[in-house]
Each structure stands twice: as structure tokens, then as C-alpha cells.
Amino acid sequence: MVLLVSGAGWVYLRLGGNINTFGADGISGDRPPGNASGSNVLVIGSDSRAGGNKGLGGGEGDIGRSDTAFLLHVYGDGRHAVAVSVPRDTLVDVPPCRLPDGKWTEEAPDTMFNSAFSVGETEKGNPACTQNTVEKLTGLRVDHTVVVDFEGFAKMTSAVGGVQVCLPKDIYQGDLSPNRGSRGELLFPAGLQNVSGQQALDYVRLRHGIGDGSDIGRIKRQQAFVAALIKKVKSKGLNPTTLLPLANAATKSMTVDPGLGSADKMISFAMSMKGIDLHNTKFVTIPWRYEGERVAVVEPDADRLWASLKADRPLGAASPSATASPPPATAVSGTGITVAVYNGTLTKGLAAKAAVTLRTSGFTVESVATARSQNHATTLVEYGPGQRDRAKKVASLFPDARLEATTGAGLSLVLGQSYGTTPAPAASDKARSADDNPCSNLTYG
């Protein structure tokens, strides 16, 4: 949106009539204070099956639901940004929200994050409720909220001629909809391919049959796809032939807060962010851990993240107001514990790096090798009978790790993509044989 508006404001002036807004009467009166520096934009992907979305999303019903969401913090320098994804299965406290009849709900503690968008069970969803929930979760004031639906996303990818992706294996209809009871037709053959429209939508919605089957893994794939889409738009140039169909698709698919509800407001907003480039935008996920089949927010890590954004500090930078060093973490002793380390990604050197971490804490590293599959999104500590306490000690050294019981003996650490940032592959990797992973020349898939 920023790219389109800053490149050719006249497009939005021409298409301003497409912009839909949601009412401000559902936004909470109990809000965090405004931002002293920087701004926050909440982006929600809606998977409503109503209207033109029904044939794309599948399923039944016409209640608006949120499929993905992230909070974009634009730093005060106007050149850097951070996008923080919130998994839809995250357990949060949903504050009181306004219903269509004007009444307000009671607070709903320990509730799935995506349920906020469905409060009131309307076709358009409840973006104000999601905004209220994000403000309560983060303590940050949301300056603007944008909702994009299935149909609009599909049309935007078609308008730019598609985006290149790579699948490490064949994907079938049953992977997209596990409840169908059969494998179904082939959706994606393994390997490099260009996707647009319905196929692009299926790709970003895909959860099962690829990676570890988690929503966390899907979020990483969605983040990479958005980055690739932005690159594709920029590569085609800011010209009317490209911009007009893309802007038409974008504006027709968006619902925004009243602060963005006109062409001039949209242009003003976008122009304020035109200096941001993709290489200055960081994609992260809220600190998390599994809690049964749901996702729990990890504290105090999340609080530190929100504090950094509130202070407009780069992630990882020390607080300038800190007067004392935090107490050192309790040392983990791995004496007498043997671990096998496996690299479950395509990034070279992760297993060796993890082995050093383990040995430094006294663990015995039995072996360092490549896992059977290299598409793990998250790190696993697999443990046999009677090994859970020891597995917890291993996991404490890897904040993103989750435990998984197995029937075999011993302990195994399987590293996922969340353990480290995947770098661009070396040129020599492109010459690997057909027996290797067909996606080894891409950093996502």
C-alpha cells in the first residue's frame, strides 16, 4: 500500500471510492497513551467466506474470522520498521468489545487471539475488537488498523504476475484441509514455481503437510511471501500499467479505521512511510511457547519487546534508562547428560553452534548430524522415558524449543529455523543434485 501511494498518489485519488472503513464506536475508551515517537499499524488478514471470498477460502458460514495478524512498528526515523506477528492460537485476554446492538461484552481471559475478530459474529468481522485486544496485550497505542480479505490478497498477487515460491514436496488438497478425509488432487508439485490468485492464497494458508505443521511455521512462510511480493512490485516499477490493477485490488479488499478512510488521508499516511525499504524491515514473532495445542506468550520476553517498541528502540538494544545490570540467569549444569544434535534446517553450521552451547554448560554431545528432514520451523528436544527433566535442562538453553516425548531412549536436539536467521544460500548450493531438497536455493518454501 505504501509503495503504491508514495509512487503514484493519483491512483488512490482515482480509486478513493473503493475504501471501506469500520466504525470508531467499537474502539475502547481505555487506551494506552499516544506514541512519543514512531507509529503502530495493525494489519489483519481476514478469512471470511462471505461474498467473493467463499470460492477462494472454502468452508461454510459468513462470519468474519482473522487468519493472520501482525503489528507494524514504524520507527520515528521514518526509515526502519518491525513487523511483529501474533499467532492466531495465542492465548490472550480479550477486553470488553462492542456488539452490533451497541452492548459491550465482558472481558474474556485466556482466550484464543483470533476469536476477538469474530466477536459479534458479523460478516465483516470486528477489527475494533482485535485492535482493543492488541492494545491490551502490548500496552502500545495502535495508530491505524487495516484489514485485507482473501479475495483482495488473491487479486493483488495476480496483478503483479505472481510470486516465486518453492515446495520441498508435493502438496495435496488434504494438506490444506486435513478434515476432508482423503489426499485429494495435487495442489503444488515439489520444486520452484510461480503462484498467483487462488494458488497464492492456498500457499500462504497451508499449514499441514509442510514444515512441522504448526501455525508458527506458517507465519514464517507468510512473512517470507510478503517480502517476496514487495520485491516483485518494486521490480516491475511504479508505472500505471502495474499500479492501477494492483491499487484497484488493494482498495476493494481493504477495510480501514476512520483515520485512513479517504484518499487524502491514505496518501498522507503512506507518504510518511515512503522512506522505509524492505532491507530495513524486520519480521519477528511474539515470544511464545506451546501450551497444549495453543500458544502462550512468554514473559518477560514479550514485555521487553513491547518496551523496546514503545521507546522506539531497535530490538536488542539496551534501555538507556537502565541503572543496573539484570541479575545473571541461573546456570544450567549439563553434567552427566548426553545429547545428540541434529540440524533440521538448510542453514549450515547450526548444529555445530548448538553443540558449543551445550558443551559450555557441561553437556556431553554424543553426535552432530543432519536431521532426516530439513524443514523444521521450530526447535525440538526429543526425550525418551524418564528423560523429561533432563530434556527441560536442554530446552532451557534454547528459548524457542519445545519438548516432545518419544519411545526411543536418550535425548535429541533437533534445531529449527527459529534457532537462527537463514542466510542466502551460496552459489554452489544451486548445483546440488536432483536427489537433494529442490528448495535448497531459496530461504523459504
Side-chain angles (χ1 to χ4, degrees), residues 23-158:
D25 51 1
I27 297 175
S28 174
D30 181 19
R31 305 184 64 191
N35 307 297
S37 184
S39 59
N40 302 301
V41 183
L42 175 62
V43 181
I44 306 169
S46 165
D47 71 350
S48 168
R49 269 61 171 176
N53 295 296
K54 184 174 183 179
L56 293 169
E60 300 295 333
D62 56 3
I63 297 174
R65 295 180 174 84
S66 63
D67 186 71
T68 188
F70 63 85
L71 182 67
L72 179 70
H73 176 76
V74 180
Y75 285 94
D77 65 3
R79 299 183 60 82
H80 297 79
V82 174
V84 184
S85 293
V86 182
R88 63 182 188 178
D89 294 345
T90 304
L91 296 174
V92 299
D93 294 337
V94 176
C97 291
R98 189 178 187 276
L99 296 170
D101 62 5
K103 296 179 181 178
W104 287 72
T105 64
E106 298 291 331
E107 179 170 327
D110 212 28
T111 302
M112 281 177 56
F113 173 72
N114 70 338
S115 68
F117 193 77
S118 300
V119 169
E121 299 187 340
T122 65
E123 179 181 309
K124 293 291 187 179
N126 197 332
C129 185
T130 299
Q131 178 177 316
N132 295 341
T133 302
V134 169
E135 290 191 336
K136 181 175 179 60
L137 172 67
T138 66
L140 297 167
R141 191 179 186 94
V142 175
D143 297 287
H144 294 295
T145 294
V146 178
V147 183
V148 181
D149 64 24
F150 273 168
E151 186 177 18
F153 178 84
K155 287 183 177 179
M156 282 189 283
T157 59
S158 296

Side-chain angles (χ1 to χ4, degrees), residues 265-318:
K265 290 178 180 178
M266 191 80 80
I267 291 172
S268 176
F269 165 67
M271 291 299 288
S272 71
M273 297 196 295
K274 68 177 182 178
I276 301 172
D277 205 347
L278 184 60
H279 71 273
N280 288 330
T281 302
K282 186 173 185 178
F283 292 88
V284 300
T285 302
I286 184 175
W288 63 277
R289 61 175 173 79
Y290 282 110
E291 187 164 298
E293 295 182 352
R294 304 302 178 213
V295 172
V297 177
V298 173
E299 299 293 3
D301 302 44
D303 279 344
R304 284 196 289 264
L305 169 63
W306 309 134
S308 292
L309 299 184
K310 187 173 185 178
D312 207 42
R313 286 197 311 270
L315 298 190

